[in-house]
Each structure stands twice: as structure tokens, then as C-alpha cells.
Amino acid sequence: MSNLQAPILLVTIPLLAAFFAALGGMLHRKISFPIALIAIILSFHQSIIVLLKVVNDGVINYRIGGWMPPFGIEYVVDHLNAMVLVVITFVSLISIIYSKLIVERELPDKIPQFYTLYLLLTTGLLGITITGDAFNLYVLLEISALATYALLALGKDRALISTFNYLILGTIGASLYLLGVGHLYIATGSLNMADLFRILPSLSGNSAVMVGFILIIVGVWIKMAFFPAHGWLPNAYTYAPSSSICLIAPLMTKVSVYIMIRIMFSVFSAEFTFANIAWQTAVVWCSVIAIIGGSLQALAQRDFRKMLTFLVVAEVGYMVGGVWLANEIGISGAILHILNDALMTLCLFLVAGILIFKTQRHQLMDFRGMFRKMPVTMGAFIIGALSMIGVPPTCGFFSKWYLIQGAIEAGRWEFMAALIFSSLVNAVLFFRIIEIGHFQHETDSHDHAEEKISEAPAIMLIPLVVVAIALVVIGLYTNDIVTNVIQHAVPVL
Amino acid sequence: MKLIGLIVVIATGLLLLWGVTDFPDWADPQSPASTHLSPHFLTESIEETAVPNVVTSVLGDYRGFDTMLETTVVFAAGIAVYTLLRRSRRKDLREKPEMIEEELPHQALIVKTICRLMAPFMQLYALYVIAHGHHSPGGGFQGGVILGASFILLAIGFDLKMVLKRMREKTTLVLGILGVLIFSGIGMVCVLLEKNFLDYSALSAILPATDIIMARSHGILGVEIGVALAVMANLVLIYVNLSSDGKYERGL
Amino acid sequence: MEFLLAKYNYWFYILIMMVGFYAMISKNNLVKKMIGVSIFQAAIILFYVSIGAKRGATIPIIEHGHDAVHHIDPTAYINPLPHVLMLTAIVVSVSTLGVALALISKIYAKYGTIEEDEINEQLTDV
């Protein structure tokens, strides 16, 4: 039995902290924030330890309760989820620091509850990523889902009704996943992923296994808002409070993509998943529609937040399509894009949050004159935008490059065309905003309310700058990330 | 919309029907589900955990981590409902006209008396269900639900104030958190004793006169108590907030 | 016929599930939608519990457990694992229901209705 406790600690520290944040919050509402912050810093530290250990020594297995799998529940950390764990804890750390002031303004009487839910959501996402048990994943999925519903419903305008729609669809998605796991269980008698991987090849052609696969994949697609089940996402994310959206928007869809990859390659095998060419073509076409449709919808929006949510839908298309290209380059691109897209989305939502914090508005037109008033914020915005468009040396370029190469190798020209089209649309979108921000000066300079706007406070700016720098640094070190981490995560085809 | 719904439903139904064709027959003792994992649980449960009720030993020990997380799910739901509905500011409370405080005539003496009589017996039975989960059907969830139901029965029979007098909002919140803390705390104690998370055999080092097997049995009992507290408190919290719309006035 | 009878639990779980699924998608009233969700989840629970059944077996509580001398016959007891899993799933479905009802209650406070089309009308008017 290995004595390395880091895999379990990185999940249980935020979990325990959630309880202490709730308890401490009853004494004084200011106690919750330091508890949450310390817990996430510790968890981030543990995730780094795990990543280094995996890169140096290979896969880590951790038996919860000391029981041998498949009888007990097992944690398995390999290259793929070690990377995702670091991404989750990093995003969580950045946005908890960033959102301190926003929470105090947006939800002044619900601060302890906010941090409790925030920590539960982080725990859920980490647990989903690290677990090696198919049923355990379902429970964690529901923890993160419940926390997300509560956090999203605290928003304004249509937040309630769009969260309710999300709840219905999210429950359908999770239930389909559970049903699919049941199909696998009835066919194999096991719930452990590694055990399923061992048994399933002997059951090829069994209709229960096929149905189980379809149910799980469709359930996860609903959760990640993949076309045609994407309808819930834009409204749910647009009206959410900007304190929590910086955690939810970058991570929920990426973690769902991770679940899809895990199910496709670690529960089922690549041969099983890609056995049917017609399905593969259909999925790639769906992602093409998701990319093109998402980009066009984004172009039609006048609201900055809503525009970003449609870009999230398009980015989901990138990753799903990349995985279903069924070649190693495409899958590497998709995995790399999980990392990059989480940070790009984070960067842009942070900018949106600052804009709302300062002006209370989030229309595109509100960017007028922002370069003069908030040079640092807008500088970070430009880096995020360039990365979204895919301009080197930002990291967005490299994952897109891999995806395009994968598309060429697989001969899926429609996917390549969609990627290039979406880059062009992104370029139009973001240059329009940059133009508004840079060249259009205010028509009415006597407006007192707008005159007062200046740069955001340091506690919000520093996280934003860190993310912007990370976008460039990851771009520069893409090669190392691919050779050390992602290459080991891609199944041999 | 309805037509699309119908088509989706029929397509899903057909897909599931196709899946069933390859299922093993119902109640077949030779099905993979009955031959792969479950014989191990059934034959080893007593030897490894000293618990004759295999459902309890799987729930509390083999898959104890699932159980800890589902307790967390209840806690998350309790906090979510509380966050969404609880009105703390006076402004919110004044939104709607106050309900009439007079006694409703149909709340008859018989209902009240029966509820009052039932509650202690329910609670006693709940404690039995929790404590006897090792040997008979029962355990933390079942007992916790019965405990919660006894409070909800009082809230229906009398009104919310009656329950809130006996279990204040703060008490409910603290008990809910305490329940999950007991569970995860036992898990963390195992880590501190240099075993894996939730490996109750580590507890034999600190419990007097306990070998490794009995430590597992006691560990299961400990987490069941935590589960019961968390389930009870959070069910009451959810009910109280839902029925009074977060105002904690009189309820249904 | 033999084939149909041998799996009858599974046919009925699909039937029940589809009733719930249809309600979830097509009903206009938000509470009815949630009732659909509950039916759907109850069907999943029925499905899992059916997996656990074993002909000629009894509940998984080992008799005379503490003697520990006699041999335990695993075919005499039903499969405990699905029951454990469903205990978890029941709790999850109750929790989801609670949060959903809280949302519905807030929606009613805000819009004065829980019919989806009436809410959408109000939203498009603004």
C-alpha cells in the first residue's frame, strides 16, 4: 500500500473546508473566505505534487478504505487527469481571489453559503476527475451539479428560469449516465473502470453494452452542452452572478469533455468506440454544426457575456470533434484544448466580470473608451482574444494547430473548414470590440457616472494578469506539455 | 414541442428495449451481476468487517466513500435550498402581507394529540434503526429519514413555530454540518493514523479493546451516526425553508 | 412468450421511465416536470433493484453470522450492491427535488405563475 496521501487530500481538503466555511460563517461572515482560500491553495499544492509524481513515476493508484479494487473504490491518477486536476485547482484558486470583492457586493448576506457551495463545486469537479469508479463519478457529478444550480440561480433577470431548465436537462443527463452505468453493471457485474476495461472486450456485440455506451455518451453530451443539446447553456451562464461564473464557465464543460474521453478510452476501448465509422462521421458533423452555429450566434449578440457563452458552445464542438477524429493528433489537440480553453474562457470571463463590477453593464458598447480607462484589463483582454482567435504565441494557436492537423490526417475537411471559419469569426468579434474600446470615444463626455471609471482594484487585476501571462507561457511551453503529459494520455490507435 | 418530445421518448424507449434483449433473465442466479462482485461481499463481509447485514457493510465500508459523498449531496441540497430561499433582510420579509395568525379550525385536537404522541415513538424507533443497522435492515439513512419525518410531522400537525422552538435554525444547520464532519472526520483520522482514507482498521490503534475487524464494525457505526444526523438536519432544513418560503413563519 | 416473461421487470421499467421522460420534456407546468423527473428516477431505481434480484435467495443479512464456522452460500442471498447504489441514488433524487422545488417557489414569487408558456410570454413582453 502506497503511503502517498496526496490524491485523497486534494479532494478532501476542499470538502472539509466547505463544512468549516459553513460553520465559521455562522460565527462571522468574514471567516469563510480565508478558510476557502487556504483550502484551495493546499489543494492546488497537492495537485502539483500529484502531477509531478505522475510525470516522474507513472500512474498512481489509491485504494479508499484500503479495499482492493474492484471491491472498493479506487482513485487512479494518470497523465490525463493529473493535468486536468491542476487546471481545476488553478482556475478555482484564481477565481476565488478574484471574486472576493464581487461576492461582497453581489451577495452581501450570503457570503458563507457562497463559499460553501463554491468549495463543494470544486470538490465535485476534482472528484469527477480523479475517481476510478463509474458509480462514484455519478455521485460527484450530482454534488457539482447541485452546487452549480444554487450558484447560478443567485443571478439576476432570467437566472431562475434558465437555471430551472438547466436543472431539468442536467438531471436528464446525469440520469442517462446512471442508466448507462447500470447497463454496464448488468452486463459485467463491475463498476470499477479498470475492471470494466478488462471485461468489456469479451462482450463485443452485446446490445446491453452498446446501449450503455450510447446512454453514457449522450448523458455527458447533455451535461457539456454539445449540439443539439446545447440550448440550456447560453441563458444559464449569461444571467449567472459574475462571482461564480468564472469558476463554472471555464470548468463544467471541460470536465464533461474529460468524462467523455475517460469513458471512451479507459472504460471502453478506442477500438470499440471508433468501430462504427458512420457514428464517427455523424459526431464530427454535429461538432461542425456546433462550431459554426455557435460562432454565428456569437456574432449576432450585442451582450458581451452572452457572446462568450456562445463561444463556449463552439469550443465544446472543437473538443468533441477533435476526440472523434479518431487519430492521435486530433485527440492530443482536444486534450490540449481542455487546458487552453479553460484558461482562455477564464480570462475572458474575468474581463467581463471586471466590466460588470465597474460599470454594472455588459453590452459590447460599454467597451467604449476602455483602453484609456483600464489599460491593464484591456491588455489582458487582448491576450485572451488573440488566444481565442488562435494567434501565436498564445496557447490557443497550438491546440487549434493540432486539431487542424488531425482533421487533415483524418481527411475530415469539413471539420478543418469549421475550425478556420470559427477563427475568422472570432477575429471579427474581438476586433470589433477592440475597435469599440480603442477608437470610439464617448459621445457624451459630460456623463459623470462614466467619468469615474478607472482601473479595477489590484485583487481583481492580479489574477487576471496571471491568467493572461499563463496563456502566453503555456503557448511557449506547448511542446514540453505535449511530450511530457499529453502524449502519455492519448490511447494508442 | 409535444410531437418532438414524443418522438424523442419513443426513440429512447426503442433503444432501451433493444438493450434489454441481451440482458440476462430477471433474477437469474448466474447473471454477471450476481457472480462477479457480490459473492465476495456476501462471503467475506463477516470475516472482514464483522457485520452480518451485507448492505450495511458495503454501504459503510467497501463503498464508504460513495456514502460520504451522498451525505455531502444532502448537505449541498440543504445549503442550496437555504441559500436560495432564506430571507434574512427585513425588506424581503415585508414583501408580502403577513399571513393571518389565527388558529385554523380544522387543526383539531385529535390531530395535534396524535402527532404529539407519535413523535417520541418515531424518534425512539429511528434510534433503534440507526443502532441496529449492523444486524437488521436499517442504518443511518433510514434512521435519519425517520428522525427528520418526526419533526416534519410536528410541523404539519401544529405549525412551524412549534418545531423551530425545539430545533432552532442554528441547531439544524450545525447538526447538518456536524453529521458530514463526523463522517469525513473519521476518514481523516484514518489518514492521520497512516492508513488510507476511510480505512477504519486504523481505528483499532485508538479504540480500546478492539482488533482490526471490530474497528471496522465500530467505524461503520460511527459513520452511520454521522449520516443520520446529516440526513435528519438537512431534511428538516429543506422542509422548513420550502414550506415557509424562507420566512420561518407558520408553514403549511 | 418465454422471452417476454423472463425479463418482465425490465420491460416495465422502460415503460415507467418513458412516462416520466415524456412528462419531463412535454409538460408545461414546472411542478409536473419535476414529477416527471421523479418518475424517471424511480424507474432507474426499479431497474437497479431488479438487477439485484436472485431466484430463491433472501435478503443479504447473514444468518447466525457470529458463529463464523459454517460456510456461507452466496447463492442464498441476493446481490447487495445494487441496493447500496440505489440508497445513494434515492438520496440524490430527493436532494435534486428539494433544490428544484426551491427554484420553483422562487419562480412563482417572481412571475406569479409556474406555467412555462406564461413565463415565456412575460419574458418576451419585457
Side-chain angles (χ1 to χ4, degrees), chain A residues 176-461:
Chain A
L176 290 182
Y177 176 85
L178 178 62
L179 195 58
V181 171
H183 278 74
L184 297 187
Y185 178 66
I186 201 170
T188 63
S190 183
L191 292 165
N192 182 282
M193 290 184 185
D195 200 34
L196 286 170
F197 183 74
R198 200 172 48 72
I199 300 171
L200 282 172
S202 63
L203 292 168
S204 61
N206 185 313
S207 71
V209 174
M210 297 286 254
V211 172
F213 178 74
I214 297 171
L215 288 172
I216 293 178
I217 294 290
V218 170
V220 177
W221 279 346
I222 295 176
K223 277 268 173 197
M224 74 171 85
F226 181 56
F227 177 85
H230 63 284
W232 59 266
L233 189 140
N235 273 336
Y237 283 10
T238 305
Y239 300 106
S242 47
S243 43
S244 47
I245 197 65
C246 296
L247 179 67
I248 296 168
L251 291 182
M252 284 304 274
T253 52
K254 295 344 154 242
V255 169
S256 308
V257 172
Y258 162 80
I259 302 174
M260 185 187 76
I261 296 175
R262 174 77 23 194
I263 295 291
M264 283 166 72
F265 302 129
S266 305
V267 174
F268 295 89
S269 56
E271 297 94 71
F272 176 90
T273 310
F274 298 131
N276 193 326
I277 304 289
W279 287 9
Q280 206 187 311
T281 316
V283 175
V284 173
W285 270 107
C286 276
S287 56
V288 168
I289 299 173
I291 296 171
I292 294 180
S295 304
L296 286 178
Q297 290 262 41
L299 203 55
Q301 301 305 321
R302 311 193 67 78
D303 180 323
F304 183 54
R305 276 261 287 264
K306 196 145 196 176
M307 184 193 100
L308 292 181
T309 60
F310 280 106
L311 288 181
V312 171
V313 173
E315 300 286 323
V316 168
Y318 280 36
M319 286 175 276
V320 177
V323 173
W324 284 81
L325 287 173
N327 58 35
E328 285 173 29
I329 302 178
I331 297 170
S332 315
I335 296 173
L336 185 60
H337 205 69
I338 292 182
L339 165 70
N340 293 347
D341 190 41
L343 295 179
M344 295 182 319
T345 321
L346 176 65
C347 180
L348 292 174
F349 272 96
L350 292 178
V351 172
I354 288 184
L355 189 70
I356 295 171
F357 185 74
K358 278 288 170 186
T359 65
Q360 314 295 334
R361 293 146 63 89
H362 40 90
Q363 302 294 316
L364 292 184
M365 276 302 151
D366 299 326
F367 275 93
R368 269 177 313 186
M370 281 300 164
F371 276 94
R372 197 160 42 82
K373 291 174 192 158
M374 305 184 181
V376 183
T377 310
M378 294 310 284
F381 169 74
I382 289 181
I383 295 177
L386 290 179
S387 181
M388 212 70 174
I389 299 165
V391 179
T394 54
C395 60
F397 166 75
F398 296 97
S399 47
K400 214 168 259 188
W401 179 246
Y402 274 96
L403 288 172
I404 289 179
Q405 272 189 313
I408 292 171
E409 197 184 293
R412 303 243 175 236
W413 305 108
E414 69 275 11
F415 188 64
M416 193 187 89
L419 286 173
I420 294 172
F421 175 78
S422 134
S423 300
L424 290 176
V425 171
N426 285 355
V428 173
L429 278 174
F430 288 111
F431 279 114
R432 193 172 62 178
I433 298 177
I434 292 170
E435 194 215 330
I436 292 172
H438 204 81
F439 298 110
Q440 289 188 4
H441 288 284
E442 280 159 59
T443 44
D444 182 17
S445 57
H446 298 290
D447 197 329
H448 293 288
E450 295 204 15
E451 276 300 296
K452 270 185 268 174
I453 295 165
S454 59
E455 195 54 89
I459 195 169
M460 297 168 83
L461 271 187

Side-chain angles (χ1 to χ4, degrees), chain B residues 147-189:
Chain B
L147 267 181
S150 72
F151 286 103
I152 293 173
L153 183 73
L154 283 180
I156 295 173
F158 292 76
D159 61 6
L160 218 49
K161 290 214 168 109
M162 159 99 177
V163 172
L164 287 171
K165 230 185 287 168
R166 280 160 181 72
M167 222 167 116
R168 287 175 195 289
E169 181 186 17
K170 255 200 171 138
T171 323
T172 322
L173 281 168
V174 170
L175 282 179
I177 300 167
L178 201 65
V180 269
L181 261 181
I182 290 177
F183 203 144
S184 43
I186 290 178
M188 284 310 273
V189 168

